[in-house]
Amino acid sequence: MTVIPTPIVDEQGHRETVAVDKRSKSRNKDGTERKKPHVIITIIMGIIALAWLFPLLGLLITSLRPRSDVEATGWWTAILSPFQQAWTFEPFSQAWTALDAGTTFWNSVAVTVPATVLPVMFAAMAAYAFTFFEFRGKEVYFAIVLGLMVVPVQIAVIPVLQLFVWFGNTTGIEIIGQYPAAWIVHATFALPLAIYILRNYMQTLPNSLIEAARVDGASHFQIFWRLIVPMSVPALASFAIFQFLWVWNDFFVAYLFIQSGPNQVLTQGLYTLLGQYGQGWQRVAAGSFITLVVPLVIFFALQRFFVRGLTAGSVK
């Protein structure tokens, strides 16, 4: 242990020297030991961040260049000679008009918000049952839920389409091409992961509160809405972020179940910006940045819940 002499003045005014642990200066205000920054880890994470941002930088530069320059040279040449480029915001104006952003934006909102709320709501109820209820076959049912997590939506596309067509022919209510088609598909395939995350989080909640509420005569409905939901906000918010980003950026489900027309979303509009012969890359780049605004706002507004919710229940 390394010590250093430190002068101390007593009550009579005499000076004396005592040994003070040098490590005490490397402590936080709460008394915990201050950890030294890991330089290597910081460098590695910085390199990973730059690698992720590199394509985004290329997208931004492409969206600010005229079509002639985009077709003539690569976007990286603009970095080498930035003052010799003809920068323009015309691709953003063209993309906004071609996307019909005033309509497709609200269509995306109409698809994304219910497709996020529905799986969160039903998964929270199912996770509460798997955590605090005792019934026969509970572990088997939960194992089935875990197995459904590995089933991709692409495998079930044809059976789901056939089911929607049969339902429309039987009842006369057309689902394909309407918002509920996307709601059902997105919510259904998001439920297994949502149940898994929320159950792991609810298992970390103090069981004594639940027992106290039951002693006081609270029903399961009251316990769920007044205790479990408020305490599960980090997990609910983390999955809501994940689901929102997935649905907002989705093209596959929207292309098959909403199709083109008055209900098409932003991602479908981005595909049309490319043009028949792929000559609209600068407009696609600008349109991509337009669609990025909402996911970025949602993520940065709720990011403090993201890691807390996803890692909850990993260590008990």
Side-chain angles (χ1 to χ4, degrees):
M1 178 185 298
T2 303
V3 296
I4 56 176
T6 302
I8 301 297
V9 180
D10 59 10
E11 296 179 355
Q12 287 76 26
H14 299 291
R15 296 173 60 89
E16 59 178 338
T17 302
V18 298
V20 180
D21 186 359
K22 189 176 181 180
R23 291 183 302 176
S24 63
K25 293 187 177 181
S26 61
R27 292 183 176 275
N28 299 317
K29 293 182 179 180
D30 57 357
T32 58
E33 186 175 355
R34 183 180 302 169
K35 296 182 179 180
K36 295 182 179 180
H38 298 281
V39 180
I40 298 179
I41 295 178
T42 303
I43 294 175
I44 294 175
M45 297 304 295
I47 294 174
I48 295 175
L50 289 176
W52 276 96
L53 291 176
F54 195 71
L56 188 63
L57 176 62
L59 195 67
L60 176 62
I61 294 175
T62 302
S63 65
L64 295 175
R65 304 178 71 196
R67 175 181 173 183
S68 57
D69 292 350
V70 172
E71 295 176 350
T73 58
W75 63 267
W76 52 89
T77 58
I79 301 178
L80 302 177
S81 56
F83 299 103
Q84 300 177 4
Q85 303 295 321
W87 303 105
T88 178
F89 286 96
E90 185 64 23
F92 282 92
S93 177
Q94 296 175 355
W96 182 272
T97 303
L99 278 174
D100 190 15
T103 301
T104 54
F105 172 83
W106 292 112
N107 289 343
S108 294
V109 172
V111 170
T112 306
V113 173
T116 302
V117 173
L118 288 174
V120 170
M121 180 177 63
F122 287 109
M125 297 178 183
Y128 175 79
F130 277 120
T131 305
F132 300 106
F133 283 11
E134 292 296 335
F135 54 90
R136 181 179 300 177
K138 182 175 72 171
E139 298 301 328
V140 175
Y141 293 141
F142 188 70
I144 295 174
V145 171
L146 294 182
L148 292 175
M149 290 173 56
V150 302
V151 179
V153 64
Q154 292 82 0
I155 292 180
V157 163
I158 293 179
V160 172
L161 282 173
Q162 292 176 340
L163 176 63
F164 286 170
V165 170
W166 170 83
F167 182 82
N169 294 335
T170 304
T171 63
I173 302 175
E174 288 294 334
I175 297 182
I176 298 178
Q178 306 298 323
Y179 297 142
W183 299 345
I184 294 172
V185 175
H186 281 303
T188 301
F189 285 90
L191 275 175
L193 179 60
I195 294 173
Y196 174 74
I197 293 175
L198 296 179
R199 177 181 181 267
N200 285 351
Y201 186 87
M202 289 181 185
Q203 284 183 326
T204 65
L205 300 179
N207 196 47
S208 58
L209 291 177
I210 310 301
E211 295 298 332
R214 290 175 180 172
V215 171
D216 291 339
S219 63
H220 285 294
F221 183 85
Q222 293 173 325
I223 294 174
F224 176 76
W225 288 108
R226 296 186 180 182
L227 287 178
I228 301 301
V229 171
M231 290 190 297
S232 302
V233 168
L236 295 172
S238 66
F239 181 78
I241 295 172
F242 184 84
Q243 178 70 358
F244 186 94
L245 297 179
W246 176 39
V247 178
W248 184 272
N249 296 321
D250 175 75
F251 172 77
F252 182 74
V253 173
Y255 180 77
L256 291 178
F257 293 93
I258 297 180
Q259 303 176 355
S260 60
N263 294 330
Q264 74 173 6
V265 297
L266 279 171
T267 52
Q268 293 174 275
L270 281 177
Y271 179 74
T272 61
L273 292 180
L274 187 59
Q276 183 178 0
Y277 302 103
Q279 73 279 17
W281 281 111
Q282 74 285 353
R283 294 191 302 169
V284 173
S288 299
F289 270 93
I290 294 175
T291 61
L292 280 175
V293 174
V294 174
L296 287 177
V297 171
I298 294 296
F299 179 78
F300 285 112
L302 301 176
Q303 65 173 335
R304 62 194 180 99
F305 296 112
F306 192 68
V307 176
R308 288 173 57 191
L310 289 182
T311 58
S314 58
V315 179
K316 293 193 66 176

